[in-house]
Amino acid sequence: MNGGLLVAGTTSDAGKSVVTAGICRWLVRQGVKVAPFKAQNMSLNSFVTREGAEIGRAQAMQAQACRVEPTALMNPVLLKPGGERSSQVVLLGRPVGEMTARGYHGGRQERLLGTVLDSLAELRASYDAVICEGAGSPAEINLRRTDIVNMGIARGAGLPVLVVGDIDRGGVFASFFGTVALLAPEDQALVAGFLVNKFRGDVSLLEPGLDMLHGLTGRRTYGVLPFRHGLGIDEEDGLRVSLRGTVRESAVAPPVGEDVLRVAVCAVPLMSNFTDVDALAAEPGVVVRFVDRPEELADADLVIVPGTRGTVRALEWLRERGLADGIARRVAEGRPVLGVCGGFQLLGEHIEDDVESRAGHVEGLGLLPVRVRFAREKTLTRPVGEALGERVEGYEIHHGVAEVLGGTPFLDGCRVGHTWGTHWHGSLESDGFRRAFLREVAAAAGRRFVPAPGTSFAALREEQLDRLGDLIEQHADTDALWRLIESGAPSGLPFVPPGAPA
């Protein structure tokens, strides 16, 4: 078997990432050697592979669904937004420069198609099947000429395409029909059918519409996946305007101790790797909330300043919002604060940045004895160490180089009192360390909170991935899906007018 499939979507956030992961987990449980692939990913949530390459977090999660180690081949192009109009381009795991959207789509993207197809071919030579994820919608007709992630990769590699639609948003039938009808005949010939995502209610009420859709397009629906809470793992979106009020889903189990712990995460601009807090949200009795107003820090037992692609911009934002003063008051009162990566850097004394913001010398919040200088070379490592008497694993993705001038060593950073700073992402996924850290936070906050002794973040992640596999196995036509992966799109699929505009 040397199969493949492209999971496209009618829109961004239609569920492509989780559907791809679900198909991967279903296949690996059938004994298939499978790998994920996304030609081009735009995300501020990234991960470092064991060979020191930076890829999207979603592809790392999908690799885990496949039970294989993630590699740079699985996400050859990663775009990390630095604002509304420019992104850092990461090619095969290494940054190659900043580029505006116009410059990227004006020629650079087309030149990357060869690299993308070579990466996919190398994966297909090593695995029985490769399940590819598209981006946005394949019917973005303004970008089709330079497309390397949707129909461009499907046509270049001869992949059948399954289009996912989020029925919870409404308009799914129009979205399915319109997606096909806006594609060129050569692209339409690869679109095998549809998958409905996030359905609530009685499927029998949906079936007449699916039959009509088949009559209109000549394409079948491969499954209707029910709505399930808590499946949005390792999200890609790092450019939300405001996350105020958003609460990470916590475990259903009640707290072990008498109190809960409230964690406030500052929703800084260009926030990166906010998946760091997922391990906290998985703890019974820990409530994680994103905030953007100083009054929302008042009842928090722990404040986290997360990573960001714009450290200086985040620092300005904290000051403009009054959050910087609120954090400083907490530190003066001995109340817990944790800075991660960019959040660690801005807690320091000053920053020299001629790389990211090009702002030169900028005064930090002065809450940790640290000075930061931005280097052109990006640090990409998978460190292992010890903190609070526990083994810790993490990963580092940063241009800022920290000079620690005092305090107590904490991972690669430091702590002063109950203020901690580190460049290590993912450290809270280490169960023993997370529990030790939460015990310290609870003691400092005066909370009678007790970490659950048996919580395993890795096991919870595996359970989530198995739930995704169950969704595919129980609610998709897996026999038809298998034939699609193995044999490609059915022949004779009809053209749906008008097709792509000239």
Side-chain angles (χ1 to χ4, degrees), residues 183-195:
L183 299 178
E186 297 84 355
D187 290 342
Q188 287 195 23
L190 295 171
V191 178
F194 314 107
L195 187 75

Side-chain angles (χ1 to χ4, degrees), residues 9-56:
T10 56
T11 63
S12 296
D13 203 31
K16 297 183 291 292
S17 294
V18 293
V19 168
T20 300
I23 293 173
C24 287
R25 179 48 62 100
W26 161 66
L27 283 172
V28 82
R29 293 195 307 207
Q30 309 308 309
V32 178
K33 187 180 179 184
V34 60
F37 180 79
K38 186 162 185 173
Q40 173 193 292
N41 194 348
M42 177 173 280
S43 179
L44 287 171
N45 285 336
S46 58
F47 184 73
V48 179
T49 67
R50 294 212 178 274
E51 74 265 34
E54 185 178 9
I55 65 171

Side-chain angles (χ1 to χ4, degrees), residues 8 20 28 41 64 107 112-113 138 208 229 266 301 317 322 337 396 399 436 444 471 482:
T20 300
V28 82
N41 194 348
Q64 187 175 348
L112 293 175
L113 181 59
H229 287 285
C266 297
D301 302 306
W317 181 87
V337 174
E396 295 186 51
H399 284 280
L471 276 179
W482 183 277

Side-chain angles (χ1 to χ4, degrees), residues 302-375:
L302 170 66
V303 169
I304 295 178
V305 188
T308 170
R309 244 289 267 157
T311 301
V312 170
R313 179 175 168 185
L315 182 58
E316 293 170 349
W317 181 87
L318 289 170
R319 285 174 168 143
E320 289 167 0
R321 294 274 178 147
L323 286 159
D325 290 338
I327 293 169
R329 281 194 297 272
R330 288 185 63 88
V331 171
E333 294 165 2
R335 302 175 67 195
V337 174
L338 170 65
V340 180
C341 200
F344 163 45
Q345 294 167 8
L346 60 81
L347 292 179
E349 296 173 358
H350 70 248
I351 298 167
E352 291 289 342
D353 181 10
D354 295 318
V355 176
E356 190 175 78
S357 68
R358 297 180 175 84
H361 182 90
V362 177
E363 293 297 318
L365 296 184
L367 304 177
L368 286 174
V370 175
R371 296 173 183 172
V372 176
R373 175 186 55 81
F374 273 68

Side-chain angles (χ1 to χ4, degrees), residues 63-417:
Q64 187 175 348
C66 297
R67 298 180 179 143
V68 298
E69 274 292 324
T71 73
L73 293 174
M74 296 173 183
N75 179 206
V77 181
L78 173 64
L79 305 179
K80 302 195 71 176
E84 295 297 326
R85 297 185 180 181
S86 67
S87 294
Q88 183 181 69
V89 180
V90 179
L91 181 62
L92 290 173
R94 294 289 173 181
V96 294
E98 296 280 334
M99 188 164 290
T100 64
R102 181 178 291 275
Y104 185 67
H105 291 285
R108 178 63 181 268
Q109 189 176 31
E110 287 178 284
R111 293 195 294 275
L112 293 175
L113 181 59
T115 300
V116 163
L117 290 172
D118 288 346
S119 299
L120 177 56
E122 191 170 340
L123 282 178
R124 296 185 77 178
S126 303
Y127 290 87
D128 299 328
V130 177
I131 307 303
C132 308
E133 179 189 343
S137 163
E140 292 169 351
I141 54 179
N142 57 315
L143 302 177
R144 176 60 186 92
R145 181 180 62 83
T146 58
D147 171 47
I148 64 170
V149 65
N150 290 307
M151 300 315 298
I153 190 72
R155 202 192 296 188
L159 295 172
V161 179
L162 183 69
V163 180
V164 177
D166 179 0
I167 198 169
D168 198 48
R169 294 184 172 192
V172 74
F173 292 115
S175 298
F176 281 146
F177 181 86
T179 296
V180 178
L182 279 175
L183 299 178
E186 297 84 355
D187 290 342
Q188 287 195 23
L190 295 171
V191 178
F194 314 107
L195 187 75
V196 177
N197 192 28
K198 299 183 185 178
F199 180 74
R200 306 172 192 249
D202 185 348
V203 176
S204 66
L205 298 176
L206 189 66
E207 287 171 350
L210 300 179
D211 291 339
M212 285 185 273
L213 182 66
H214 183 271
L216 288 165
T217 67
R219 289 157 174 85
R220 57 165 300 169
T221 298
Y222 284 76
V224 178
L225 307 185
F227 187 95
R228 291 287 187 268
H229 287 285
L231 294 180
I233 50 180
D234 288 357
E235 300 170 72
E236 294 186 355
D237 186 6
L239 277 178
R240 296 183 183 183
V241 174
S242 174
L243 285 166
R244 186 171 59 82
T246 300
V247 179
R248 300 301 279 183
E249 292 198 29
S250 300
V252 177
V256 175
E258 297 178 42
D259 287 343
V260 300
L261 272 187
R262 296 172 176 83
V263 179
V265 184
C266 297
V268 297
L270 298 173
M271 181 166 51
S272 62
N273 288 70
F274 57 79
T275 48
D276 282 339
V277 302
D278 284 351
L280 293 179
E283 282 283 347
V286 176
V287 179
V288 179
R289 183 178 180 86
F290 291 93
V291 304
D292 62 4
R293 297 188 302 202
E295 57 268 28
E296 294 174 305
L297 304 181
D299 67 346
D301 302 306
L302 170 66
V303 169
I304 295 178
V305 188
T308 170
R309 244 289 267 157
T311 301
V312 170
R313 179 175 168 185
L315 182 58
E316 293 170 349
W317 181 87
L318 289 170
R319 285 174 168 143
E320 289 167 0
R321 294 274 178 147
L323 286 159
D325 290 338
I327 293 169
R329 281 194 297 272
R330 288 185 63 88
V331 171
E333 294 165 2
R335 302 175 67 195
V337 174
L338 170 65
V340 180
C341 200
F344 163 45
Q345 294 167 8
L346 60 81
L347 292 179
E349 296 173 358
H350 70 248
I351 298 167
E352 291 289 342
D353 181 10
D354 295 318
V355 176
E356 190 175 78
S357 68
R358 297 180 175 84
H361 182 90
V362 177
E363 293 297 318
L365 296 184
L367 304 177
L368 286 174
V370 175
R371 296 173 183 172
V372 176
R373 175 186 55 81
F374 273 68
R376 297 200 176 276
E377 188 73 19
K378 182 184 282 191
T379 297
L380 296 168
T381 63
R382 290 274 294 271
V384 177
E386 185 177 302
L388 306 181
E390 300 286 346
R391 185 176 186 273
V392 189
E393 295 184 30
Y395 57 99
E396 295 186 51
I397 306 169
H398 54 90
H399 284 280
V401 178
E403 181 187 4
V404 179
L405 302 173
T408 303
F410 176 70
L411 303 178
D412 75 329
C414 67
R415 68 174 291 183
V416 174

